[in-house]
Every structure is written in C-alpha cells, then in structure tokens.
Amino acid sequence: MVELRRGWTTGACAAAAARAACERLFTGHLPDPVAIDLPHGLRASFSLTETGAWVGVRKDAGDDPDTTHGAIVRARLRPAPPGTGVAFRAGPGVGTVTLPGLPLAVGEPAINPGPRAMVAANLRAVADEYGMAADLTVEIGIEDGEALAHHTANARLGIVGGLSVLGTTGVVIPYSCAAWVHAVHRGVDVARAAGLDHVGAATGRGSEAALQARLGLPDHAMIDMGDFAGALLKYLRRQPVSRLSLAGGFGKLSKLAAGHLDLHADRSPVDIPRLAAELTALGGPDASGVVSAGAVLALAGDLPLAQRIAEQARETARAVLAGGTEVDVHIFDRRGRLVGTAPCGQTAGYCSPSVSITAV
C-alpha cells in the first residue's frame, strides 16, 4: 500500500502566519521560516509567501484532495485594548456564521474552536517570550476563499463570504478510499485475532473518544470507520463479531438512518427535510426553513429526535449485517455528550451475544 503524504490544516497555516506577524509586531523581525506549536506536543515549520501588511503561508495539504490545497492563508494583527485577550476577525476569503447550529455564534468569523485555540496558544507563547500581553485582534484571510467556498457546503450551513478555517490537530491525514477501507478491514481482523467479541466504530475522533469512555473498550477494539460505514458493515457480515457499537454525530448518523452507507458529504448529503419531518412527527416545531442538522436537533429540545435517528441507523446497520452481529448506536454532540442511543438489547448498554468468536 502506498504511503500517502500528510499535510497541514488551514488552522495550522493560520497559526503560522499569525505567529510570524505577532513576532514582527513585538520585535520588528519577521521569522522565515516560522515554527509553531501544534496540539499533542507537535511542532512544525512553515515558510512565508507574503510579508507585507498581511503575512501569508501557502497551504500544503499533502496528498489529500483538499479544496484549499495551494491557497495562501493570511494573518494580520492589530493591538487590542489591555485585558481583552485574543479576538478574531474574518478577513477576505473567510466566511461569517449567519445561522445557528454550528459550534460558533451567529456573527462570528468561521474560524472553528480548534484553530482559534491553536492561534491563541502560539500568540501567547510569543507574548510570554518577550514579556508582552497577548491583547491582539487577529484577522485571518484565505486567497480566493469566497470562490473556493462554492465547492463546499458552507452556503447551506449559513457560512457566507468565504471558507471555514478548520483543523483540530493541525495535521491533514490524506483521504484515500482504498487505504481507509483497508485499515477498517484490518481493524476487524485484529479484534477477531485477539478474541474480542465487541468492537466500537466511530465516524470521527471525538465520537470515538466518547464511545470508548462510555463503554470501556480497549484501544484495539476501536475502529476508525470515518465515512465508510458500508465497508465496515459488509466486512462484518463476512467476518462477524458478537457486538458492534457505532458512534457519530447527529448529522453524520442521520445519513445512515436514511439508508446511506457512504457517509461522505460529496456522496450523501444530510437530508434536512427528512429530519424536519421526523421532528414534526414527534410533535416538535416546524423546521422547514432550517438548513443544518444541528439546528434541527436544537429545535427538538427534550423530544427524542436523536434517539429516533439512532434507532433508524441501527436498523440500517442490522439489515446489512444480516444477523451475524448485533449492533447498538450512540449519537454524541460536539462536546462528547450522549444525545441519543439505540441499544441492541432491552436496556441501554446490554446486548446478547449472537455468535461465538474465537481467535483466528
């Protein structure tokens, strides 16, 4: 299998540009290349492509087919009033949030919490080094971001004027269907070889961590299925375990509930009208004008909408598994809180083993 080259997220590039601009603001010197701190103790170095009023870094997404690969991510800094800390502004090419349901308030620049934390941490590091206060306004821009945003789902989510600045770890793991499916299959093989009768699979790192904490599964029982729910379920139909626990966010698992097995945004968009109809069937308010899954869920309040979606996702999975593996489904919000669950037994957290697994 060919090793794919990793790259850097838009958030990491923004942090690099901002850190270089911050050092120039405090010292008059512009470091090139600039080294930044990433989450999990990592460090990375970036060359600058613009050194004027805006400091720019050209994004290298590695072998990932990223919309923003090759674009210049820019930062411009201004001093802010004492005690105000780090504030963010949307520059040219970065969108603004206009609808609820995202992890940012309406009116905020579409710079996600992870990149904000990364940028702020690097600015504070420079400020501490030179004995200054990190009271700064940071403006982030992306070259041709408004045009590039037409190739994303931003408009449907109410992000107008440009792209979102994304990235939790700062590192882009290349998206390769063949490589990812191979890894999913090998994860099942490892679990079976270890004699495990219960595996957990999640669409992302946040839901994986929440599921593992909830069920106490060992690391080698966890499978990063990403968008490849179908690849996992079909493989388990041939190589079953007793129990599969699926986890993900509300929007992603609503696709599985609707019968989609490939959960990638390009191949199975979230069916908002369907979610709105489910909410209406539960006696909830009219959600016909809502444009995101998160906003529909917010309207549901205490109604068991997430539970219903979890139950439907479980039935889709059961149909593919064809009886060899029992399945339960857990929906988590962005904070890792359980918002809906569909157990495979009579009570949450219990499933009767349906097959006997031995080491292979």
Side-chain angles (χ1 to χ4, degrees):
M1 185 172 62
V2 177
E3 183 74 18
L4 297 177
R5 188 171 62 89
R6 297 188 176 193
W8 306 113
T9 65
T10 312
C13 296
R19 181 161 184 154
C22 184
E23 186 158 333
R24 182 175 64 182
L25 180 67
F26 288 157
T27 70
H29 168 71
L30 188 67
D32 188 8
V34 58
I36 66 168
D37 300 312
L38 298 173
H40 310 302
L42 300 176
R43 281 183 65 81
S45 182
F46 296 79
S47 296
L48 305 181
T49 59
E50 293 182 346
T51 57
W54 291 87
V55 176
V57 169
R58 189 175 298 278
K59 178 174 176 177
D60 179 1
D63 288 328
D64 191 69
D66 191 292
T67 301
T68 54
H69 176 69
I72 297 174
V73 182
R74 304 177 170 114
R76 181 167 63 179
L77 267 62
R78 297 184 180 88
T84 55
V86 177
F88 290 87
R89 298 287 182 270
V94 170
T96 299
V97 177
T98 65
L99 293 174
L102 296 172
L104 298 166
V106 171
E108 283 290 310
I111 305 169
N112 270 22
R116 289 182 185 230
M118 201 183 312
V119 170
N122 278 278
L123 296 183
R124 285 193 294 267
V126 176
D128 290 344
E129 181 179 353
Y130 295 106
M132 308 291 283
D135 298 316
L136 300 162
T137 298
V138 187
E139 192 174 1
I140 303 295
I142 301 175
E143 176 189 48
D144 298 327
E146 190 165 4
L148 292 172
H150 294 306
H151 301 288
T152 73
N154 276 13
R156 275 178 43 202
L157 298 175
I159 298 172
V160 301
L163 290 163
S164 305
V165 179
L166 306 173
T168 302
T169 65
V171 180
V172 172
I173 299 175
Y175 176 89
S176 166
C177 293
W180 204 314
V181 169
H182 176 87
V184 168
H185 292 175
R186 298 298 77 78
V188 173
D189 292 344
V190 168
R192 283 170 52 85
L196 297 180
D197 62 359
H198 182 191
V199 298
T203 59
R205 293 184 180 181
S207 54
E208 179 181 285
L211 180 69
Q212 189 172 17
R214 176 175 170 79
L215 300 182
L217 293 171
D219 287 341
H220 58 293
M222 304 305 297
I223 298 171
D224 181 8
M225 73 174 182
D227 294 320
F228 300 102
L232 171 65
L233 295 170
K234 292 173 185 177
Y235 194 70
L236 283 172
R237 185 170 60 198
R238 302 192 301 271
Q239 304 287 340
V241 296
S242 293
R243 177 183 173 190
L244 167 66
S245 294
L246 290 175
F250 178 71
K252 189 74 76 173
L253 289 186
S254 74
K255 301 178 185 183
L256 186 62
H260 298 290
L261 299 181
D262 186 337
L263 309 184
H264 191 271
D266 288 343
R267 292 177 286 278
S268 60
V270 176
D271 190 341
I272 303 300
R274 181 180 183 275
L275 293 178
E278 292 287 355
L279 179 57
T280 300
L282 290 170
D286 179 19
S288 57
V290 174
V291 296
S292 73
V296 178
L297 184 59
L299 284 176
D302 293 331
L303 293 172
L305 178 61
Q307 177 184 330
R308 174 171 288 199
I309 295 304
E311 290 168 351
Q312 294 171 353
R314 179 188 60 190
E315 295 315 302
T316 297
R318 278 178 169 169
V320 178
L321 291 166
T325 296
E326 190 52 283
V327 60
D328 49 287
V329 175
H330 308 261
I331 297 178
F332 297 98
D333 67 12
R334 291 186 176 94
R335 297 182 182 179
R337 298 177 300 189
L338 185 71
V339 295
T341 184
C344 56
Q346 295 300 311
T347 58
Y350 171 78
C351 292
S352 299
S354 56
V355 293
S356 176
I357 299 300
T358 57
V360 294

